[in-house]
Amino acid sequence: MILLFPWFIPLVTYLLLGPHYLSDWSTFVGATGLNATLGFFCQWILDQVTKRITDQYPSLKQTATRLILLLVAFMSISLLIILSALWFYTQFHLFAYVYQPGVVRHILLFNVVVNLISVAAYESIYSLTKWRENMLEKEQLKKVNLQSQYESLKNQVNPHFLFNTLNSLSSLIADEPERAEEFVNEMAKVYRYLLQTNRGVETNSTSLPTTDVSATGDGELTLLGTELTFIHSYFHLLKTRYGQGIQLAIAVNESDQIRLLPPLSLQMLIENAVKHNVIHVSKPLTIEIKSTPDGQLLVRNNLQRKPTRRVLSNQIGLSNIQARYRLLAQHYTMPLEIRIDETDGYFTVILPLLNTIRL
């Protein structure tokens, strides 16, 4: 409006009234005020319509649809306002106005040009701003994603985890050498998978399926079947340590095992369950992983909170899983949000399962 109105309103008014517009001060003031009021009213309507269209079609992928709708809205609304104004001018002979078909055609053509320029300017500014926002958000989420992977790896190789794992191993070596050997094999699989995932590379190992990476190429997704194979090895370490104090039940549809999710998501959820709940033979912690009827993955555990203060999460867990899904959502036309529920004595997380990246 700041750029358009100072010259658009006087020019259109001059086309309507001719030299009389500039020669009579009362006509100049009255006609300019009337047309400026109509212009502001038209602009207010266009602002409301533009906001609705932009809210409904906000993404850069919807630029063509948004552009067409804006052009239709601008052309039709401004045309309606101009024709209504011309009718009033003619009907009431405002400011000695005389209808001239040639002048009206020039005004309508001028209106088309102005609308094309207005929509082009708005869309250029909006698209550039949206692109910058998307790039900034993508970089921030990538940073969170990389930090999440780093923290996950660091958490698994820290002295506390390593001490507990080796302590479990040492108790087996003397008394149960066969179980100790099996424990070492599973431990090797766990560390191999963690290293593969965090380095974003693939392996041809037959003992543990490859970390299949999606079309993003950044190791952002892995097959659910691959993740479950890792979880079996990871849970073996927990089972050796806690015995009958911890249980795992997996009921995942075979068709869902070829779908995708962020790597280490299940490990983070199991780790949180172990970290925040009492684990005892008399009060076993039960963790369930199963498919839902709507094609998602449900992970839940019975709630038996530790009576101590809340354990720090070391910046990994639910917030990082959510951040990964937000990053992946940029490649999809639908939002990807995990659902969290804590009712009826259970802590439940539902993860979306993906088919492929939609670029």
Side-chain angles (χ1 to χ4, degrees):
M1 286 193 296
I2 293 174
L3 297 176
L4 187 65
F5 273 37
W7 61 270
F8 178 73
I9 296 299
L11 182 57
V12 169
T13 309
Y14 179 79
L15 291 175
L16 278 174
L17 303 178
H20 177 64
Y21 169 63
L22 298 177
S23 62
D24 183 70
W25 71 269
S26 61
T27 299
F28 178 83
V29 174
T32 301
L34 175 60
N35 289 343
T37 300
L38 292 173
F40 277 105
F41 176 68
C42 179
Q43 185 63 47
W44 180 81
I45 295 176
L46 290 175
D47 285 344
Q48 303 305 309
V49 173
T50 299
K51 186 177 184 303
R52 280 180 168 271
I53 293 174
T54 303
D55 289 344
Q56 191 168 358
Y57 303 96
S59 73
L60 292 176
K61 297 177 182 179
Q62 300 168 315
T63 297
T65 302
R66 184 172 60 251
L67 192 58
I68 292 172
L69 291 176
L70 286 173
L71 281 172
V72 171
F74 271 62
M75 294 294 183
S76 56
I77 292 173
S78 61
L79 178 62
L80 180 62
I81 297 294
I82 289 174
L83 292 178
S84 299
L86 288 173
W87 183 86
F88 274 101
Y89 269 92
T90 304
Q91 189 73 17
F92 299 101
H93 304 289
L94 297 177
F95 309 108
Y97 169 73
V98 177
Y99 174 72
Q100 301 178 58
V103 172
V104 172
R105 283 196 297 271
H106 281 93
I107 292 175
L108 295 180
L109 179 61
F110 186 54
N111 176 64
V112 171
V113 173
V114 169
N115 281 326
L116 288 174
I117 295 173
S118 299
V119 171
Y122 170 81
E123 183 58 34
S124 298
I125 295 172
Y126 177 83
S127 296
L128 180 60
T129 303
K130 196 71 175 177
W131 177 79
R132 286 177 175 174
E133 290 176 353
N134 288 348
M135 290 300 294
L136 180 60
E137 181 181 6
K138 185 175 181 179
E139 290 303 316
Q140 290 174 338
L141 290 176
K142 278 186 176 180
K143 183 178 179 181
V144 171
N145 189 45
L146 292 173
Q147 181 68 20
S148 169
Q149 294 182 15
Y150 170 73
E151 290 293 338
S152 177
L153 177 61
K154 187 174 69 174
N155 186 71
Q156 296 309 318
V157 298
N158 67 30
H160 178 71
F161 177 82
L162 190 59
F163 173 79
N164 288 331
T165 304
L166 294 178
N167 188 49
S168 299
L169 176 61
S170 65
S171 65
L172 295 175
I173 292 176
D175 301 327
E176 301 177 82
E178 292 184 0
R179 286 189 62 198
E181 182 178 355
E182 182 183 4
F183 184 90
V184 170
N185 289 334
E186 299 300 332
M187 180 179 172
K189 293 178 184 179
V190 167
Y191 277 94
R192 187 185 307 121
Y193 184 82
L194 290 170
L195 289 170
Q196 291 168 2
T197 300
N198 284 276
R199 289 172 57 194
V201 298
E202 298 183 3
T203 179
N204 293 322
S205 172
T206 56
S207 61
L208 186 67
T210 180
T211 306
D212 298 277
V213 179
S214 71
T216 58
D218 293 326
E220 293 174 350
L221 291 173
T222 186
L223 291 174
L224 175 57
T226 302
E227 187 83 349
L228 289 175
T229 300
F230 161 70
I231 288 302
H232 280 294
S233 297
Y234 178 73
F235 185 75
H236 183 90
L237 305 185
L238 296 176
K239 188 69 173 177
T240 302
R241 180 182 175 190
Y242 294 108
Q244 295 303 312
I246 189 169
Q247 305 293 333
L248 176 65
I250 299 178
V252 176
N253 298 334
E254 186 174 350
S255 58
D256 288 335
Q257 296 192 29
I258 59 173
R259 300 180 70 189
L260 303 167
L261 79 167
L264 301 179
S265 297
L266 299 183
Q267 182 265 338
M268 289 182 185
L269 295 177
I270 292 176
E271 180 185 60
N272 280 350
V274 171
K275 184 182 298 183
H276 296 292
N277 291 276
V278 172
I279 302 177
H280 196 272
V281 176
S282 62
K283 297 179 64 177
L285 175 67
T286 302
I287 302 171
E288 299 176 65
I289 303 175
K290 61 182 181 180
S291 299
T292 65
D294 57 350
Q296 301 188 81
L297 189 69
L298 180 146
V299 183
R300 74 173 184 175
N301 62 271
N302 55 321
L303 277 173
Q304 38 197 40
R305 295 286 190 189
K306 291 181 179 179
T308 57
R309 63 183 180 86
R310 191 177 185 85
V311 182
L312 295 177
S313 63
N314 200 25
Q315 298 183 349
I316 64 174
L318 291 176
S319 62
N320 283 306
I321 298 174
Q322 290 171 321
R324 289 184 181 190
Y325 272 105
R326 285 198 301 271
L327 175 60
L328 292 168
Q330 297 183 24
H331 302 278
Y332 284 75
T333 57
M334 59 181 179
L336 297 175
E337 295 290 338
I338 69 173
R339 301 205 306 268
I340 303 171
D341 183 54
E342 188 173 331
T343 55
D344 300 327
Y346 286 93
F347 183 80
T348 304
V349 178
I350 297 179
L351 302 175
L353 292 176
L354 311 174
N355 293 317
T356 182
I357 288 292
R358 301 177 184 179
L359 298 174

